[in-house]
Amino acid sequence: MQPRRVPRIRSVSLVAPCLAAIAVALSLGPAGLEAQGLKLAVGDVGLGIGPVPRIDGLRINFRDDDRFERVRGINATIWMPEDDARGHVTGLALGLPVTGAASIRGIALGAGVGVHEELRGIGVAPLGIGVGGQVQGIAVGGIGAGAGNSFHGIGVGGLGIGAGNDISGIAIGGVGVGAGNSLSGLAVSLGGVGAGSRITGVTVAGLGIGAGNHLKWVALAGLGVGAPRITGVAAALGVGGEAVEGVVLAPAYFRLEEGGRLRGVSVSAFNDVRGAQHGLVIGLLNIAEELHGVQIGVINIARNKDRFAVLPLLNYHP
């Protein structure tokens, strides 16, 4: 019997176009390659080297500019995109060492990551992550992570986490966490946590916590907690507010602003209630402009009482 012949695979049809593309690119010279890049692909599927506008697969470029349109797959760059870059990456944006795009949906990984519009997915950068618009997902920046608009998800920054508008989810910042408008969820910082309007959820800070309008649920800080309106539990060396409902634990000083209202319990060395107290205060010195409850302490002063306005140990007024 004659040995069976194994058919040879003819790969000329695949190799020839690739060799032709390389030859054309080399014939263009450095200026031509820089102008349009090298695209080894069938349609848009394949490999792009240089400023190839569109690719589904792998694209490698030094720095993206306004010629960049989109990559579905992997976009690997050495440097941040130029200011007018408007390309979109779906898949992996890889920085060697830094990368960015107009929007990234998927994973952004590099020493530094910069996004003009939106990061949706996971971003990890030992130096930092900056997004001009919105973050949805997870962002971990060695120095910090920030969004010009909103941040929804989990953010971890060695120095801090910040958003120009809202933060919701979990935010952990070494020095600080800050939102221009509202912050909701869990926020933790060794330094301070602040929001221009509202903080809602559980907030823990080594130094201080402050909200421009309303602080709600649980706020625990080493030095101070303050907001015009406080609802829930506030604990720090000093606590201040105007409308306070809940429990205040302030070992040094609690101050209710003039014309304000306390509804609940305050435990502090000095309870300085310059408005109306409805509830219980416990401390060494307790002063209420208007008492409707109980004071327990060494000295208790209720300025709205006609008789026995100053009493030791306990004072009461309905």
Side-chain angles (χ1 to χ4, degrees):
M1 296 179 61
Q2 293 183 351
R4 185 177 179 181
R5 297 180 61 187
V6 178
R8 290 183 298 174
I9 299 175
R10 297 183 178 274
S11 58
V12 176
S13 60
L14 297 177
V15 174
C18 293
L19 294 176
I22 294 174
V24 171
L26 293 175
S27 68
L28 293 174
L33 185 59
E34 173 63 24
Q36 62 186 36
L38 173 62
K39 186 174 182 179
L40 305 176
V42 177
D44 287 334
V45 180
L47 170 66
I49 300 175
V52 175
R54 302 162 62 92
I55 204 77
D56 295 334
L58 172 62
R59 179 177 179 273
I60 303 171
N61 192 24
F62 176 79
R63 186 183 191 189
D64 293 330
D65 53 26
D66 60 354
R67 290 169 289 183
F68 178 33
E69 296 179 18
R70 66 138 175 87
V71 166
R72 291 193 291 238
I74 300 174
N75 188 53
T77 61
I78 295 175
W79 205 244
M80 290 287 187
E82 296 181 2
D83 292 338
D84 56 356
R86 292 293 179 264
H88 304 276
V89 177
T90 302
L92 172 63
L94 181 62
L96 303 169
V98 295
T99 192
S103 71
I104 298 174
R105 296 189 175 189
I107 299 174
L109 180 63
V113 174
V115 183
H116 288 286
E117 299 169 8
E118 180 188 51
L119 170 62
R120 182 174 295 187
I122 300 173
V124 179
L127 292 180
I129 298 175
V131 180
Q134 178 175 267
V135 174
Q136 290 189 350
I138 300 172
V140 180
I143 294 178
N149 188 2
S150 58
F151 197 119
H152 304 291
I154 300 174
V156 180
L159 291 182
I161 298 292
N165 195 6
D166 301 327
I167 296 177
S168 63
I170 299 174
I172 301 173
V175 175
V177 175
N181 185 24
S182 67
L183 192 159
S184 61
L186 172 64
V188 179
S189 173
L190 295 176
V193 176
S197 181
R198 302 179 306 277
I199 297 178
T200 304
V202 177
T203 310
V204 181
L207 296 179
I209 300 170
N213 184 13
H214 193 184
L215 181 59
K216 190 175 183 181
W217 302 133
V218 179
L220 310 175
L223 292 181
V225 170
R229 184 181 177 191
I230 299 175
T231 304
V233 177
L237 195 62
V239 176
E242 184 175 348
V244 180
E245 298 182 13
V247 178
V248 173
L249 302 174
Y253 182 51
F254 167 61
R255 172 169 171 164
L256 187 77
E257 296 297 333
E258 185 175 349
R261 184 183 298 270
L262 167 66
R263 291 184 180 273
V265 178
S266 175
V267 180
S268 178
F270 180 14
N271 288 292
D272 185 8
V273 179
R274 303 185 180 191
Q277 174 196 324
H278 297 263
L280 170 66
V281 299
I282 301 173
L284 300 177
L285 173 60
N286 303 309
I287 300 175
E289 194 68 29
E290 183 181 335
L291 176 62
H292 300 283
V294 178
Q295 297 171 318
I296 298 176
V298 177
I299 300 175
N300 305 288
I301 302 172
R303 301 189 188 279
N304 62 322
K305 291 181 65 175
D306 295 331
R307 300 175 61 187
F308 306 111
V310 181
L311 288 173
L313 302 181
L314 185 144
N315 205 345
Y316 168 76
H317 189 266

